[in-house]
Amino acid sequence: MAGHRTILIVEDELPQLVLLQQMLLSAGYHVLDAKDGVEATATYWRRRKEIDLVVCDMALPKRGGWSVYLSLKEMNPRVKMILASGYLDPKIKHEMVEHGVEDFVAKPYAPETLLATIERALHHQ
């Protein structure tokens, strides 16, 4: 199903970024990456027409994942984004879902869980 889908990965930890790139490329996705929130916002602005989904770490340098989401949502109200975090307070998580975040994944990343979450988000209307 991945075929021609493009995913923007936003991850500042190089080992995690490489893991995600390899996992998504081997699953058939096209992959773009950004290493901080400012780069993520700029990359999305330039390539928003081709990006189907954003997978973004919550704890990023320069600009956190939630701030990135709010900026991308202004650019594209239909942006699809999965946020990743080691722990997220259930109240905050609920608020983020109310604002339109597609889903969440726990770090460290579990490949099967992440791929299933991506597929669900891509097929969610």
Side-chain angles (χ1 to χ4, degrees):
M1 288 306 266
H4 51 280
R5 303 291 193 129
T6 299
I7 298 176
L8 171 60
I9 302 168
V10 189
E11 176 60 65
D12 63 314
E13 297 175 35
L14 187 58
Q16 295 292 325
L17 178 60
V18 170
L19 170 76
L20 289 171
Q21 288 171 325
Q22 291 172 342
M23 182 187 343
L24 295 175
L25 287 169
S26 68
Y29 293 102
H30 297 286
V31 178
L32 302 172
D33 65 72
K35 288 145 193 86
D36 63 54
V38 172
E39 184 182 352
T41 305
T43 300
Y44 189 84
W45 175 251
R46 281 192 320 274
R47 302 188 69 178
R48 65 191 176 279
K49 290 184 179 169
E50 66 189 274
I51 296 172
D52 297 294
L53 178 70
V54 180
V55 176
C56 184
D57 189 10
M58 285 289 292
L60 294 167
K62 299 183 183 177
R63 191 168 196 193
W66 180 238
S67 175
V68 170
Y69 174 74
L70 294 174
S71 292
L72 301 189
K73 185 117 174 127
E74 283 182 21
M75 287 180 224
N76 175 9
R78 298 179 65 189
V79 65
K80 290 187 177 205
M81 190 163 181
I82 295 170
L83 291 171
S85 179
Y87 171 77
L88 197 57
D89 180 278
K91 269 190 197 175
I92 294 170
K93 192 174 182 178
H94 178 74
E95 184 180 320
M96 291 175 168
V97 169
E98 291 291 312
H99 278 87
V101 171
E102 285 295 319
D103 212 333
F104 298 87
V105 291
K107 285 182 77 177
Y109 300 102
E112 305 79 26
T113 303
L114 178 60
L115 290 172
T117 303
I118 287 170
E119 280 299 311
R120 226 179 12 259
L122 287 170
H123 291 95
H124 180 249
Q125 299 301 322

